[in-house]
Amino acid sequence: MDSNGKGSPWPLDAAEHSYGQASWQLLQRLGGNAHIQQAVALTHLPGDPSRLLLATGGTDKSVRLYAREPERAAEFVAMCSLPGHDNWVRSLAFCHTCGAGAGAGSSSGLLLASASQDRYGRIWAIQEEQDGESAASASPVSAADAVARYAPKPRFCAGGRAMLATMEALLIGHEDWVHSVAWRPPPLPPAGAARSGRHTPQPFSDLCLLSASMDRTMMLWQHDPGSGLWMSQAAVGDAGAQCLGYFGGVFSADGRSVLAHGFTGALHLWDRVDSPTCAAASAAAGSIAGSTWAPRPALGGHFGAVTGCCWAADGGCLLSVSEDQTARMFTRLRGASWCEVARPQVHGHDFTCVASVPSASGSAGAPPYAYISGSEEKMLRAFEAPQVCGWCCAAVSFCASRAWGSAEHARTSGGQHVLILGALHVRIL
């Protein structure tokens, strides 16, 4: 999508030349409104892989659906609009379903998840309209069913089939903008078997949706067959005033890990850990209820040239500065691997140098981590690590200084899981 709110589908002529410019050809430019489109998702209609369905969302606060016939010269045609969000739509994701819950009287269906800056996520069900849905039923219904029956239901026709779009769920739980939604991929096949595509229908009971928000949390949602509602089964995130939330989150290929990227550019990783009592039941049903998500070291590193590095005074941590305008602290974990544990400084200028110095504090047990950094602004800035940062390092590091206190103190201090992305600014030289 470009800044004019227009999209351009580019078909692939030959898979073996997929990266060659000659293999791509502009088929169509989607317009129709002056709003910027920030999210797009593409899939096929339920039970009909030859017909494509495109969803877009943006600053007009609505989700728009387009359909395309299988003919090569065919174009995407606007079908309907899904209103409901009160702010910009930031992310869209399709998921094909099968079995109970995929749609009344249907063996297959399609779910569309949307994320918005209104702090809510929404799930839309798209399936073929049944004969019973076009006429009122004479049997008694509950008040909730009566309200849902007469609620707006966008309809469209594609491939001679009458399709119906209804709101499946409103996801309430985040306290800030929701930036991303992602469905858990289908289970990996046995070794040697061909892997199924990401559009392979999944049982409704196995579906799991991941949402990432600027409130510094990611939430995992699953359908509760008892109540018929989509419930938050787990939430992961970071504590600390310097974590400014997540821009996006994704599942791993096997669905047992989730990864988020945040405002500061850091990656955050969690692995699913099943309790022994419910591991077999959870694996069989595809449910994550009863599971915990443990934080793990994620890939990290500078994306610009490293202009300086130094060891801390005790040799327990390595500090590096870069032209990406960040200072990063690395330490060796108790598992004998090295990882990034903090970003003491996020600068507005490219760094040019860094040097470790003894702590300015003269009291007993003073933090041994202090440094001076220089940048293109032609100033030297001195920083000293706060005590809570030292407790964190003492809890996870293999070689952190004993000056921070005992490991038992680190585990019971209450801040051992909070890796501070900042340091105390002592003075400007």
Side-chain angles (χ1 to χ4, degrees):
M1 294 292 170
D2 59 23
S3 59
N4 297 320
K6 298 180 178 180
S8 304
W10 296 79
L12 182 61
D13 290 335
E16 61 271 17
H17 303 295
S18 59
Y19 296 102
Q21 185 175 1
S23 300
W24 296 85
Q25 176 187 1
L26 177 64
L27 252 187
Q28 180 187 0
R29 185 176 294 274
L30 299 177
N33 63 82
H35 296 276
I36 298 175
Q37 300 301 297
Q38 301 184 111
V40 63
L42 179 67
T43 189
H44 60 79
L45 288 177
D48 190 356
S50 63
R51 288 179 170 82
L52 300 180
L53 186 65
L54 177 71
T56 65
T59 59
D60 56 355
K61 309 176 186 178
S62 65
V63 178
R64 300 176 183 271
L65 296 181
Y66 301 82
R68 180 180 181 270
E69 294 298 317
E71 293 79 11
R72 180 172 177 79
E75 295 185 344
F76 281 95
V77 179
M79 294 286 105
C80 64
S81 177
L82 307 180
H85 285 297
D86 294 330
N87 210 321
W88 295 359
V89 178
R90 300 303 300 261
S91 179
L92 297 168
F94 278 116
C95 179
H96 289 265
T97 66
C98 61
S106 176
S107 60
S108 63
L110 180 65
L111 296 181
L112 172 63
S114 61
S116 171
Q117 292 182 180
D118 61 6
R119 301 179 299 169
Y120 302 130
R122 291 175 183 262
I123 300 178
W124 312 85
I126 303 173
Q127 68 265 346
E128 189 172 359
E129 185 174 7
Q130 305 299 315
D131 294 337
E133 291 175 311
S134 58
S137 173
S139 59
V141 294
S142 64
D145 293 337
V147 172
R149 170 180 294 174
Y150 298 105
K153 298 179 181 179
R155 292 173 167 84
F156 62 95
C157 184
R161 302 162 59 193
M163 306 299 295
L164 179 69
T166 58
M167 194 179 76
E168 170 77 13
L170 176 64
L171 308 180
I172 302 176
H174 287 294
E175 299 177 353
D176 209 333
W177 295 356
V178 184
H179 272 163
S180 170
V181 285
W183 293 99
R184 183 172 61 182
L188 294 175
R195 181 176 179 181
S196 58
R198 60 187 179 94
H199 297 301
T200 302
Q202 302 184 61
F204 206 79
S205 58
D206 289 354
L207 298 180
C208 183
L209 181 68
L210 175 69
S211 61
S213 170
M214 283 297 287
D215 64 2
R216 305 187 298 276
T217 65
M218 291 199 301
M219 303 184 74
L220 294 104
W221 308 82
Q222 282 194 312
H223 182 262
D224 179 23
S227 63
L229 303 176
W230 284 77
M231 309 294 291
S232 173
Q233 299 291 349
V236 297
D238 287 323
Q242 306 231 3
C243 181
L244 299 180
Y246 301 136
F247 279 140
V250 294
F251 278 101
S252 62
D254 60 1
R256 297 191 60 85
S257 300
V258 293
L259 181 73
H261 64 94
F263 185 85
T264 59
L267 297 177
H268 309 263
L269 176 66
W270 290 267
D271 286 342
R272 175 180 171 181
V273 180
D274 294 326
S275 61
T277 56
C278 64
S282 297
S287 173
I288 61 173
S291 301
T292 59
W293 295 80
R296 306 298 188 201
L299 294 176
H302 294 285
F303 59 85
V306 177
T307 56
C309 62
C310 65
W311 290 99
D314 66 343
C317 291
L318 178 68
L319 184 74
S320 62
V321 296
S322 166
E323 291 181 356
D324 64 6
Q325 303 181 356
T326 63
R328 310 191 186 203
M329 187 169 68
F330 301 83
T331 190
R332 184 183 179 186
L333 302 181
R334 298 185 184 278
S337 62
W338 286 79
C339 77
E340 177 184 338
V341 294
R343 298 189 184 184
Q345 199 177 356
V346 179
H347 214 301
H349 298 270
D350 295 354
F351 282 100
T352 56
C353 60
V354 65
S356 177
V357 296
S359 174
S361 176
S363 60
Y369 296 160
Y371 72 91
I372 297 177
S373 65
S375 68
E376 290 182 343
E377 65 174 342
K378 301 179 181 179
M379 290 185 180
L380 296 177
R381 297 177 180 267
F383 291 85
E384 185 178 75
Q387 186 71 39
V388 66
C389 183
W391 291 340
C392 295
C393 291
V396 302
S397 177
F398 177 80
C399 49
S401 173
R402 303 297 294 183
W404 294 111
S406 65
E408 181 63 25
H409 184 198
R411 286 191 293 269
T412 60
S413 63
Q416 65 270 25
H417 294 133
V418 184
L419 295 184
I420 301 299
L421 299 184
L424 299 181
H425 195 172
V426 180
R427 65 186 61 182
I428 300 177
L429 306 179

